[in-house]
Amino acid sequence: MVDKKVSFVCTSYRRFYCVKRIVAQYHAQTYENKELIIFNTDMEYPYELGFDDPTIIVVNNDTNYLTGEKYKNRGEICRDAVTHTTGEYFMLADDDDIYLPYHIQQAVDGIIDNGRDAWKPQKSLFATGDRLEFCQNTLEASVIVKMDRIKEIGFREDVTGYEGLSWYTRLRDEGQLKEIHDKYIPSYCFNWSDPAEVAGHKQSGDINNPDNFDNHKQSSGDYCTDPLIPLDKLELDIVYQKYYSFLKSNKKVINKSHYKKYLSPLLK
């Protein structure tokens, strides 16, 4: 039996280091049947893949496929990015966040095991410059969803920051997304620990501002200047190390079987 393909979807605007980190994290994933969609809306500095990987699709586009106008919010961007996917499952790759190597594998195992249309861990991680902690929230980037449901429900296109709540809320209310359970180990980090020159503008921190979308474009200044290549393994290992250390130090409150299955092999 062939494992179903997971489409890891990254939309980005001028966070070049972050996208290089996303590519490295994609390559680090232990799940094999996957693709990465990089949807870049900065046409002034388009992305060009600097290496050969047929599982990575780069799209440079700043125009709404339906209206022919410039994008007005991230929901429109996510909707168009999803049209390039070929996978049976959808997972969001927010460009500035952290995804541990078992992130996709655990999600696929979880959605198969629960028999629902979606799966998420109850808690993920939240990082700032000086702390790392567990966080229980919607955190849409921690969720795996059947692709046909994503395409059926779509994304909110009225305001940037709420685009994922369309499918999240509906699936939760249908009983297809279980928020409370202990069958997981955190694999995703909602990351606020990058310096300002890397992170730029945080849309999630400006969520109710009507100028949120434009503020992000004005404040994110990490331009693409070279062909896109991933961070090297040493750089990524340094990124991952604090998360491994945190999970090890909190081993007593983590599901033992999931710790052994997903994290322990990475610590050897």
Side-chain angles (χ1 to χ4, degrees):
M1 180 179 176
V2 178
D3 291 332
K4 292 183 177 180
K5 183 188 288 186
V6 175
S7 297
F8 206 35
V9 179
C10 176
T11 67
S12 187
Y13 183 89
R14 295 186 180 175
R15 279 178 171 166
F16 191 51
Y17 170 84
C18 291
V19 177
K20 292 171 66 175
R21 188 172 61 195
I22 282 289
V23 175
Q25 293 183 89
Y26 169 75
H27 282 159
Q29 293 299 307
T30 58
Y31 190 78
E32 294 186 358
N33 194 9
K34 60 187 182 293
E35 65 181 5
L36 174 62
I37 312 299
I38 301 173
F39 199 91
N40 170 44
T41 56
D42 180 14
M43 296 302 291
E44 186 176 355
Y45 296 91
Y47 292 165
E48 176 188 357
L49 207 59
F51 59 98
D52 183 39
D53 186 339
T55 73
I56 299 179
I57 299 168
V58 175
V59 180
N60 296 295
N61 177 70
D62 64 356
T63 304
N64 187 315
Y65 288 172
L66 297 183
T67 67
E69 299 176 352
K70 300 299 184 184
Y71 287 120
K72 296 181 174 64
N73 57 71
R74 189 167 178 242
E76 296 174 350
I77 297 169
C78 290
R79 180 205 64 218
D80 286 353
V82 164
T83 66
H84 295 273
T85 63
T86 63
E88 290 89 356
Y89 294 128
F90 165 87
M91 295 193 80
L92 184 63
D94 275 346
D95 58 4
D96 58 338
D97 289 339
I98 303 300
Y99 303 83
L100 297 179
Y102 53 87
H103 176 68
I104 294 177
Q105 182 65 66
Q106 177 181 230
V108 172
D109 293 344
I111 197 170
I112 292 173
D113 181 61
N114 75 9
R116 293 177 167 87
D117 291 342
W119 177 91
K120 76 177 292 287
Q122 179 174 328
K123 295 181 181 180
S124 293
L125 301 170
F126 176 68
T128 63
D130 59 0
R131 75 180 191 278
L132 182 59
E133 60 189 35
F134 294 113
C135 177
Q136 183 171 321
N137 204 320
T138 53
L139 298 179
E140 297 97 309
S142 70
V143 186
I144 186 171
V145 188
K146 291 180 179 178
M147 185 65 75
D148 59 353
R149 295 308 312 274
I150 287 292
K151 292 183 176 180
E152 171 201 346
I153 301 169
F155 300 85
R156 280 185 61 174
E157 299 178 16
D158 56 336
V159 58
T160 289
Y162 290 104
E163 56 275 352
L165 293 184
S166 51
W167 53 263
Y168 185 99
T169 303
R170 179 164 166 183
L171 291 169
R172 181 199 63 198
D173 293 349
E174 289 177 354
Q176 293 295 333
L177 195 161
K178 185 178 180 181
E179 295 180 300
I180 308 299
H181 66 95
D182 65 357
K183 293 184 177 180
Y184 73 96
I185 177 173
S187 65
Y188 161 72
C189 179
F190 186 48
N191 177 34
W192 283 46
S193 66
D194 288 327
E197 61 269 20
V198 170
H201 171 268
K202 303 290 287 186
Q203 291 176 321
S204 54
D206 198 26
I207 199 164
N208 291 316
N209 188 334
D211 297 322
N212 191 0
F213 185 71
D214 289 333
N215 287 343
H216 180 74
K217 294 175 69 174
Q218 293 170 10
S219 301
S220 296
D222 186 13
Y223 305 100
C224 166
T225 56
D226 301 293
L228 175 59
I229 60 173
L231 299 188
D232 64 35
K233 185 178 184 303
L234 178 59
E235 289 178 287
L236 186 61
D237 285 345
I238 292 171
V239 171
Y240 279 156
Q241 190 54 55
K242 74 174 182 180
Y243 300 98
Y244 294 157
S245 297
F246 178 82
L247 293 172
K248 285 172 63 179
S249 67
N250 286 277
K251 183 176 181 180
K252 291 182 179 180
V253 298
I254 295 172
N255 182 291
K256 291 182 175 57
S257 63
H258 281 61
Y259 187 99
K260 180 178 180 181
K261 180 177 182 179
Y262 298 109
L263 184 58
S264 289
L266 300 174
L267 303 178
K268 294 179 179 178

